[in-house]
Amino acid sequence: MEYLQYIVEDRTIAELLGVQNFTNDESAVLELVKNAYDAKALHLTLRFSDQDLIITDDGDGMNSADIKKHWMHIGKSDKKYEVIDDNNNKRVLAGSKGVGRFALARLGREVKFYSKKEDFIGVLWSTDWETSSLMENYELENHGTKIVISNLRERWNEKKVKGLIKYLSKTYNDDSMSILVSHPKVEDNVKAYFPVPQIGINCLSNISISYNSKAHNLITKVFSDEFIEEAKKYCENIDINSYEIETNICEEFKNKNEWDLSDEELLSHLTELGDFSADFYFNHSSSKLETEKFLYKHQAIPNSLDNGVVLYRNSFGISSFEGEKDWLNLNKRSRKSPAAATHPTGAWRVRENQLSGKVIIDKETNWNLQDLSNRQGLDENIFFKLFCEIILVGINEFERYRQEIIRAINTKNVTDVKEQSKPISNMVLSNPKAVSRLSEQQARQLVAEIKEYRNQTAESKREKTDVENRYKYDVRILNVLATTGLKASSIAHEMKNDRNSISVNIDNIIDALKEYGMWEDLTAPERTAKAYKNIPSLLSSNQKASKKILSFMDTMLSEIEKKQFVASWQSVYDILNHIKQNWERDYAFINLSIVTSDDICYNISEDILQVVFDNLILNSIQQNDSKLHLNISISIDEMDDKLHFIYSDDGKGLDKKYSTNPRRILEVHETTRKNGHGLGMWIVNNTVSMSGGEIITITSLEGFSIEFTIGGRT
């Protein structure tokens, strides 16, 4: 038997692994920077001229044996996990696949590679990518490597070199090796792009997250300088400068079904993913009017960072994740939930252009986050998907925290009425000739009023856009639900004609079988031993199903009647009692009690109470479907001209993931059920808010309880 080896031409190797393997010239240069870093260089220089690029480092260098054994061996690397450089700094090595050297082919058509290892004579390796040669015993004075890349494939002008400096500043996240980039028209040292965050200078808020893979916990910390001191007056129970929360990721993800993982598989994957951390920097600019309206401390940050999130594996950014690509899909999230931060029920999402930051993973700890073979990105496997989702959990905690502050501050904009002096503009409009008789003080007031009108016009346009965005997604969801309801009601109307036969058919069949003398035979033990042949049992089961169909039909037809949506003075107890009777009729295991001191009459439409309590009761039933008996209580009284309710059940309460923030259940699509839509409590919150009421508290110590008010707004 003869063992064969693949033979590949030098030019083909250079073309495939060099020219075509790198998405851009900058990523090819980065590979050579990584080589110098791995060689423990303390200083690296990239010097550009018209046709040449000379790369010089003072690293370990190579001898002839290294060139033959490693440099010329494709796909092989002798690099370990980490090394200690001459300054006693630990470096986690960036290379591993032995293909980074072909970055030279991407950059130029000819290469001369001078290198000297300590205590060895220097060597010169040359190639034109047709042939390669090695000159041993080449005299070099100092250890290290000098690479001369000639006949460059691209012209490196001033603009392109400046772009390279910025690129390296983003993708090199270390200071143990200095990098100098030199060009006839520009020379600069590469500096770390992300500084130690200075709140109020680089960003408005710093969001720091860290994931512990053993405990499956995510710690999210927020430090903010976004709001002035006066904001505290409206945020009595909120620290406007700092926030910290711990999230159990197992509880957070356990009922997500898009990954098709069992609970055991999810636990295993979350452990194998490994620890990681991230720092994000939130920024936005605001108008003078917005700054006053929401008590912002800054209209703009003086030294804000460019948007973009960079993913680092130890000291180097991963190509395609260096901030240009929205790899966390922040824009997609914001499009799906376009609500403004002031939205009373919708979830505000940070936009991609408002966030910059860095995420750091480790070569060994996060080994399941694998580089693609061409090192131009990551394999987007299940571990990568979990990784991204965990990061988004941390960002989501910041979004909730900030939105809570904005909502609290916004109460002043709803309730405050400014005391204004009599407008000068009214006098001018009624008598334009009065302009010439205005005093200097009146003229200044008129100018101020015109500026205010212009600002208000601009603000009204922004508010119009916010309102449109606020309701756009709401309407989409409600349209789907309404369409589903109309389809169901259409079927219910068609079945109404069959109501009589549906309700009595089973009884008629049983009576007929008795009349024909067949019933006693069918009920004999030998005829009922097998369930699928037990005719009496099958008929009884069908009769129960028919009753449910009739109940569904009656409910559908009654709940879409026009009178349901007309506000009138009605007995609140009577409306709730009707809801109680319908649910107890359909679900024998629930006991619903209504507690009120007296009968309250209120100007309200039935649909509001029906929507709120149908969703609350349905949630209680679905959350406690394994319970043999479920007690539900609804207490009613009046408070500040509004209806005040406390709804509670004695079930198992909310899932653990909501223990630190139970109000999360009000967010759209928030659910722990595998087949849940996460709309029930969002609809409750929306309906309560639109009526002029509010959700006061949600607790889950013993069972579930929610306290809220409903107003008379329709």
Side-chain angles (χ1 to χ4, degrees):
M1 180 183 294
E2 181 181 0
Y3 292 94
L4 303 176
Q5 289 185 324
Y6 287 104
I7 299 174
V8 185
E9 298 296 330
D10 288 1
R11 179 170 290 279
T12 303
I13 295 172
E15 183 70 25
L16 292 176
L17 299 183
V19 179
Q20 298 178 19
N21 195 43
F22 294 91
T23 54
N24 54 50
D25 299 319
E26 290 77 12
S27 63
V29 172
L30 181 63
E31 285 299 319
L32 301 176
V33 172
K34 290 179 182 178
N35 281 349
Y37 180 87
D38 289 355
K40 298 187 287 187
L42 300 180
H43 306 283
L44 172 67
T45 301
L46 307 172
R47 197 171 300 279
F48 291 89
S49 63
D50 287 342
Q51 285 296 318
D52 298 329
L53 166 57
I54 301 173
I55 303 173
T56 308
D57 72 58
D58 57 357
D60 286 343
M62 302 178 78
N63 59 23
S64 60
D66 294 329
I67 295 286
K68 293 173 184 177
K69 186 177 180 182
H70 302 297
W71 185 258
M72 296 300 294
H73 196 148
I74 299 168
K76 181 180 179 181
S77 174
D78 63 334
K79 295 178 180 178
K80 304 171 186 176
Y81 171 66
E82 64 183 22
V83 293
I84 305 296
D85 65 23
D86 291 344
N87 287 336
N88 209 32
N89 291 319
K90 184 177 77 171
R91 300 189 189 186
V92 176
L93 300 181
S96 62
K97 292 183 170 63
V99 296
R101 67 205 66 169
F102 289 98
L104 295 166
R106 166 76 190 211
L107 298 171
R109 296 177 177 85
E110 298 175 16
V111 176
K112 290 189 181 300
F113 182 93
Y114 305 87
S115 194
K116 182 182 186 308
K117 197 171 185 177
E118 193 75 49
D119 300 327
F120 286 87
I121 196 71
V123 295
L124 167 60
W125 175 80
S126 306
T127 185
D128 60 2
W129 305 112
E130 291 281 0
T131 58
S132 300
S133 63
L134 178 65
M135 182 184 296
E136 303 181 38
N137 302 320
Y138 194 90
E139 288 294 336
L140 293 173
E141 186 175 344
N142 298 314
H143 69 83
T145 298
K146 175 183 174 183
I147 305 173
V148 180
I149 307 172
S150 304
N151 198 2
L152 296 176
R153 297 182 189 273
E154 299 291 337
R155 182 170 173 269
W156 287 83
N157 56 24
E158 181 183 1
K159 181 179 179 182
K160 190 172 174 68
V161 171
K162 284 182 176 179
L164 173 66
I165 294 170
K166 184 176 180 180
Y167 174 83
L168 291 177
S169 75
K170 276 192 174 183
T171 52
Y172 175 53
N173 188 40
D174 203 337
D175 59 5
S176 59
M177 178 181 75
S178 68
I179 304 174
L180 174 67
V181 181
S182 178
H183 180 272
K185 293 186 177 180
V186 61
E187 183 170 294
D188 202 356
N189 287 296
V190 173
K191 304 175 185 68
Y193 180 76
F194 292 106
V196 175
Q198 297 183 67
I199 312 300
I201 297 176
N202 306 119
C203 59
L204 294 170
S205 297
N206 170 220
I207 307 110
S208 174
I209 71 170
S210 59
Y211 175 63
N212 184 323
S213 59
K214 290 182 180 177
H216 311 118
N217 280 350
L218 183 76
I219 304 292
T220 304
K221 298 179 182 179
V222 180
F223 304 96
S224 179
D225 187 47
E226 188 173 359
F227 306 97
I228 62 175
E229 196 72 13
E230 186 186 345
K232 293 180 179 178
K233 182 169 68 175
Y234 305 96
C235 306
E236 294 181 0
N237 299 315
I238 311 170
D239 186 338
I240 65 171
N241 299 119
S242 65
Y243 174 71
E244 181 174 342
I245 189 168
E246 181 174 331
T247 309
N248 185 305
I249 296 298
C250 282
E251 295 294 333
E252 190 75 19
F253 288 175
K254 70 179 181 181
N255 287 312
K256 286 203 169 191
N257 56 17
E258 63 262 36
W259 303 315
D260 197 26
L261 296 175
S262 66
D263 289 349
E264 293 75 17
E265 288 172 327
L266 176 63
L267 193 69
S268 173
H269 281 54
L270 290 175
T271 303
E272 293 170 9
L273 179 59
D275 298 355
F276 64 85
S277 64
D279 269 297
F280 298 105
Y281 312 100
F282 171 74
N283 273 314
H284 73 89
S285 298
S286 55
S287 67
K288 183 179 179 181
L289 203 61
E290 288 172 326
T291 303
E292 293 172 357
K293 188 175 180 180
F294 296 108
L295 306 180
Y296 292 141
K297 198 171 186 177
H298 317 269
Q299 275 189 254
I301 289 295
N303 297 310
S304 63
L305 298 166
D306 290 346
N307 59 287
V309 178
V310 183
L311 176 58
Y312 293 102
R313 193 187 296 280
N314 301 109
S315 297
F316 289 94
I318 295 173
S319 189
S320 296
F321 294 87
E322 68 279 344
E324 299 298 324
K325 172 184 173 184
D326 181 19
W327 56 277
L328 288 171
N329 289 319
L330 297 175
N331 278 340
K332 183 178 178 181
R333 288 173 77 246
S334 63
R335 285 195 302 271
K336 289 175 70 176
S337 184
T342 53
H343 196 299
T345 61
W348 169 75
R349 295 287 181 248
V350 65
R351 275 60 170 167
E352 186 257 348
N353 63 358
Q354 296 174 326
L355 204 69
S356 59
K358 57 183 177 180
V359 183
I360 300 176
I361 60 176
D362 180 78
K363 187 175 180 180
E364 283 192 349
T365 304
N366 311 108
W367 66 273
N368 278 305
L369 297 174
Q370 294 283 341
D371 287 315
L372 294 174
S373 59
N374 62 2
R375 302 180 74 174
Q376 300 302 296
L378 290 179
D379 177 10
E380 297 187 11
N381 56 22
I382 182 62
F383 292 99
F384 177 79
K385 292 173 183 175
L386 288 170
F387 171 67
C388 291
E389 283 297 319
I390 292 171
I391 294 171
L392 291 176
V393 168
I395 292 174
N396 202 4
E397 292 295 353
F398 162 70
E399 291 164 338
R400 289 193 190 98
Y401 165 67
R402 182 176 182 270
Q403 187 168 24
E404 188 178 8
I405 295 173
I406 294 288
R407 283 172 174 167
I409 294 172
N410 194 46
T411 57
K412 80 176 182 62
N413 301 319
V414 177
T415 58
D416 283 0
V417 178
K418 290 184 179 179
E419 292 286 337
Q420 292 185 343
S421 58
K422 188 175 181 180
I424 297 295
S425 54
N426 286 354
M427 181 178 71
V428 172
L429 285 171
S430 61
N431 182 15
K433 292 182 180 180
V435 173
S436 60
R437 298 193 298 270
L438 294 179
S439 66
E440 185 179 346
Q441 183 179 353
Q442 288 174 323
R444 283 198 299 269
Q445 184 179 334
L446 179 61
V447 170
E449 287 176 16
I450 293 171
K451 286 182 179 178
E452 180 67 16
Y453 292 149
R454 289 173 64 181
N455 287 336
Q456 286 178 354
T457 301
E459 180 64 15
S460 66
K461 288 180 180 178
R462 279 190 290 270
E463 286 182 352
K464 179 176 178 288
T465 302
D466 285 346
V467 169
E468 288 175 353
N469 288 335
R470 170 178 169 176
Y471 290 110
K472 191 178 292 182
Y473 190 53
D474 297 7
V475 169
R476 282 170 54 197
I477 295 173
L478 295 175
N479 279 344
V480 171
L481 294 175
T483 303
T484 302
L486 289 173
K487 286 180 182 177
S489 65
S490 175
I491 295 170
H493 274 294
E494 289 179 15
M495 293 175 64
K496 189 174 182 181
N497 296 329
D498 301 321
R499 179 186 176 84
N500 291 337
S501 58
I502 292 172
S503 62
V504 298
N505 270 354
I506 300 299
D507 289 333
N508 289 340
I509 291 170
I510 293 172
D511 289 342
L513 290 173
K514 289 179 178 178
E515 185 179 335
Y516 299 146
M518 301 170 65
W519 186 252
E520 290 186 7
D521 187 39
L522 291 173
T523 56
E526 63 272 16
R527 302 284 190 186
T528 58
K530 295 180 179 179
Y532 66 93
K533 291 183 178 181
N534 187 339
I535 292 176
S537 177
L538 294 173
L539 289 172
S540 175
S541 177
N542 272 11
Q543 192 168 41
K544 290 178 183 177
S546 296
K547 287 180 179 178
K548 286 184 179 179
I549 292 171
L550 292 172
S551 171
F552 163 77
M553 223 163 63
D554 293 340
T555 301
M556 285 301 303
L557 294 175
S558 65
E559 291 185 358
I560 60 171
E561 291 176 359
K562 185 177 178 180
K563 66 178 183 179
Q564 293 283 99
F565 304 92
V566 178
S568 61
W569 288 94
Q570 305 182 65
S571 164
V572 177
Y573 178 84
D574 287 349
I575 298 173
L576 291 179
N577 193 50
H578 180 65
I579 294 171
K580 161 188 162 72
Q581 290 171 355
N582 285 342
W583 281 101
E584 289 184 338
R585 177 195 65 203
D586 298 337
Y587 292 87
F589 79 100
I590 69 170
N591 175 45
L592 208 156
S593 60
I594 302 171
V595 182
T596 180
S597 56
D598 56 2
D599 192 11
I600 299 170
C601 284
Y602 199 77
N603 187 26
I604 194 169
S605 58
E606 288 184 37
D607 69 289
I608 292 176
L609 296 181
Q610 182 181 297
V611 166
V612 169
F613 287 100
D614 277 355
N615 276 290
L616 287 173
I617 295 166
L618 181 59
N619 266 13
S620 290
I621 289 170
Q622 291 177 334
Q623 189 74 1
N624 300 283
D625 56 355
S626 60
K627 197 172 171 64
L628 296 177
H629 193 73
L630 180 67
N631 292 308
I632 297 173
S633 171
I634 302 172
S635 71
I636 326 159
D637 57 27
E638 286 189 278
M639 185 173 73
D640 299 331
D641 297 325
K642 295 178 182 178
L643 294 174
H644 175 247
F645 297 93
I646 297 177
Y647 172 95
S648 61
D649 67 45
D650 63 352
K652 64 181 183 181
L654 295 177
D655 196 84
K656 287 181 183 177
K657 68 182 280 189
Y658 302 117
S659 59
T660 56
N661 185 7
R663 293 184 75 90
R664 278 184 61 186
I665 66 172
L666 304 177
E667 294 179 11
V668 66
H669 296 315
E670 185 62 51
T671 182
T672 55
R673 295 195 303 276
K674 287 190 176 180
N675 297 315
H677 46 60
L679 295 177
M681 292 305 299
W682 175 79
I683 291 173
V684 169
N685 192 24
N686 234 10
T687 307
V688 165
S689 176
M690 289 174 70
S691 78
E694 64 172 329
I695 306 292
I696 299 171
T697 58
I698 301 173
T699 57
S700 184
L701 298 175
E702 294 179 3
F704 169 76
S705 177
I706 181 169
E707 181 183 2
F708 59 94
T709 58
I710 288 179
R713 188 194 302 164
T714 57

